[in-house]
Amino acid sequence: TQNRSRKVMNNLVAANLSHHPGRTLVSVIGVAIGVILVVLTVGLVRGMLRDRGTRDTNTGVEILLSDRTQYGLSLTSLPILLPVEMADKVRQVPGVAAATAVGQHLEMKGESGLGIRQVDGVNFEDYVKATKVRIVEGEALPASGDVAIVDIKYAATHKVQPGVSTINIFDATFKIVGVYAPETGARIMIPLATMQEQNGASGKCSMLLVKCDSGTDQDQVAARISQRFPELRVIFTRDLPTLFAEGYGSLNIFLNIVTGLAVAISLLIISLTMFTSVTERTRQIGILKALGASKPFIAGVFIKESLTISGAGVVMGLVIALLVRMALVSIAGMKLEIELDYAAFAALGGMVSGLLGALYPALRAAGLDPVDALGYE
């Protein structure tokens, strides 16, 4: 009897879903969009952060310094407020081999047209003394002018020809004069003097990169800097991958909001679909009740129908997200990682929204009076 009841329920669910294929498909797509939104948004943000953290560890410096009052989008995206003369003072600290000033500029335009692009302003002569960066093609970055150098990955993906290719920065055309390696920090560098002029920040920078003497204890050097310059915030580059991987409070709040919105969208779509379905099938519900169908059976039909739609939407969303991720990584060269915890949460959220969305319509259907339901037009 139980198997027969389950078979009847499955047949009803299949018939109901196939009766309105367009509405069923739209509902599945609605749930899928929520899953795609979570997986791709989180993957893009976390992928960019991890990529930046990895590149920042390749500079060859051990310590990053910034003003304690400065806060930007990330640990290494800061306003140009720190006096460049601080570099000279930091160089005098025992154990410091080199210190160089870096300015940073953010543009709401990624290299593929999406995301955020960061440009570093450097005094290249000082920069190479502190870091492992070297010119591998073309010329070194001069002290000033509308010129730029790019890293080897940017050069490869954009087919850069030093001395010929150009790039748009600050709504102006910059000539690319050289290519550098390894991949460190921002993928584009311009003269610090040019960045200061564009930002109206003469004599200022965003942060200082510090190279310690070989064999010197980094923690001791950092302690000396903190003691002598308490206004500076000290960050070890060795900690950057962990810091970037964990993200930041504001970004995590944003990702949680996106996740909540995705679940809410799925919940509303399922609720609307099921409520409409109950209204359209009022006479059918009356017939089922007249034939002896119980309230749990009727409610179960609608809940199972909703979970079927949600399950299909979750699968579709995950598959599409994976395909889009593969396309963006291989074609656009974007850093997009699938976060398993958020993907699992998105899938669970889609199923829970399907259950909650169907709960009221299912209870309403189960509570209908059979006589009124049979007389419904």
Side-chain angles (χ1 to χ4, degrees):
T1 303
Q2 186 175 2
N3 291 335
R4 183 180 179 182
S5 177
R6 185 182 298 111
K7 185 177 180 180
V8 171
M9 181 182 293
N10 291 337
N11 290 337
L12 284 173
V13 170
N16 292 334
L17 293 176
S18 61
H19 184 65
H20 291 287
R23 186 172 66 194
T24 300
L25 180 60
V26 169
S27 300
V28 170
I29 292 174
V31 176
I33 288 175
V35 175
I36 294 170
L37 180 65
V38 172
V39 174
L40 292 185
T41 301
V42 174
L44 180 60
V45 173
R46 291 288 179 84
M48 290 173 61
L49 290 176
R50 286 198 178 98
D51 178 57
R52 184 57 200 266
T54 301
R55 296 206 311 269
D56 281 339
T57 60
N58 290 336
T59 55
V61 301
E62 291 81 25
I63 299 173
L64 277 66
L65 303 175
S66 66
D67 192 302
R68 287 189 178 276
T69 62
Q70 295 180 8
Y71 292 94
L73 179 65
S74 71
L75 289 171
T76 53
S77 300
L78 300 163
I80 305 177
L81 298 175
L82 186 67
V84 172
E85 62 187 23
M86 287 295 298
D88 294 327
K89 298 178 181 179
V90 171
R91 292 188 191 103
Q92 298 172 11
V93 175
V96 173
T100 184
V102 177
Q104 297 188 320
H105 170 71
L106 286 179
E107 294 184 334
M108 303 303 292
K109 178 184 178 182
E111 303 310 327
S112 59
L114 299 173
I116 298 173
R117 180 175 72 181
Q118 181 166 307
V119 181
D120 282 353
V122 302
N123 183 324
F124 197 69
E125 185 177 349
D126 287 340
Y127 193 80
V128 295
K129 294 177 182 178
T131 69
K132 298 185 295 185
V133 170
R134 296 294 180 268
I135 296 295
V136 295
E137 186 179 357
E139 302 175 358
L141 189 68
S144 62
D146 290 348
V147 292
I149 57 175
V150 297
D151 71 4
I152 51 177
K153 182 170 183 178
Y154 183 98
T157 56
H158 292 75
K159 297 180 172 56
V160 168
Q161 298 181 29
V164 178
S165 302
T166 61
I167 185 173
N168 188 272
I169 309 172
F170 297 112
D171 294 324
T173 300
F174 282 63
K175 180 182 288 187
I176 299 176
V177 298
V179 178
Y180 64 88
E183 298 177 46
T184 60
R187 298 195 181 278
I188 305 166
M189 294 185 189
I190 65 174
L192 179 57
T194 302
M195 182 171 287
Q196 291 169 341
E197 181 181 352
Q198 290 287 345
N199 286 276
S202 178
K204 304 291 184 180
C205 66
S206 301
M207 66 178 183
L208 303 177
L209 302 183
V210 178
K211 176 70 175 177
C212 298
D213 285 324
S214 178
T216 304
D217 187 275
Q218 300 175 22
D219 295 277
Q220 291 182 3
V221 176
R224 295 183 192 123
I225 293 174
S226 296
Q227 184 177 8
R228 187 171 300 187
F229 308 104
E231 70 275 20
L232 295 180
R233 179 172 53 159
V234 178
I235 301 173
F236 292 103
T237 55
R238 68 191 181 207
D239 296 331
L240 288 178
T242 301
L243 294 173
F244 275 103
E246 293 176 352
Y248 310 98
S250 58
L251 284 177
N252 287 331
I253 291 174
F254 165 73
L255 295 178
N256 291 335
I257 290 175
V258 170
T259 303
L261 287 175
V263 173
I265 290 172
S266 300
L267 178 62
L268 291 174
I269 290 174
I270 293 295
S271 295
L272 181 60
T273 300
M274 290 297 101
F275 191 82
T276 303
S277 181
V278 170
T279 303
E280 290 180 349
R281 286 148 55 190
T282 300
R283 284 179 60 83
Q284 182 190 88
I285 295 169
I287 293 173
L288 289 173
K289 285 201 165 190
L291 293 175
S294 65
K295 290 183 178 181
F297 178 87
I298 294 174
V301 170
F302 287 94
I303 291 176
K304 194 165 188 176
E305 183 177 333
S306 174
L307 291 177
T308 301
I309 292 174
S310 299
V314 166
V315 172
M316 177 186 288
L318 292 175
V319 171
I320 293 176
L322 289 173
L323 293 175
V324 171
R325 186 257 178 192
M326 292 172 59
L328 292 176
V329 170
S330 60
I331 298 175
M334 298 178 66
K335 294 293 183 180
L336 200 161
E337 301 180 10
I338 300 299
E339 299 290 327
L340 295 181
D341 53 343
Y342 273 88
F345 185 83
L348 179 62
M351 297 304 297
V352 171
S353 65
L355 177 62
L356 296 179
L359 196 57
Y360 172 71
L363 294 176
R364 181 176 181 273
L368 287 175
D369 183 88
V371 176
D372 293 337
L374 287 170
Y376 182 83
E377 295 294 339

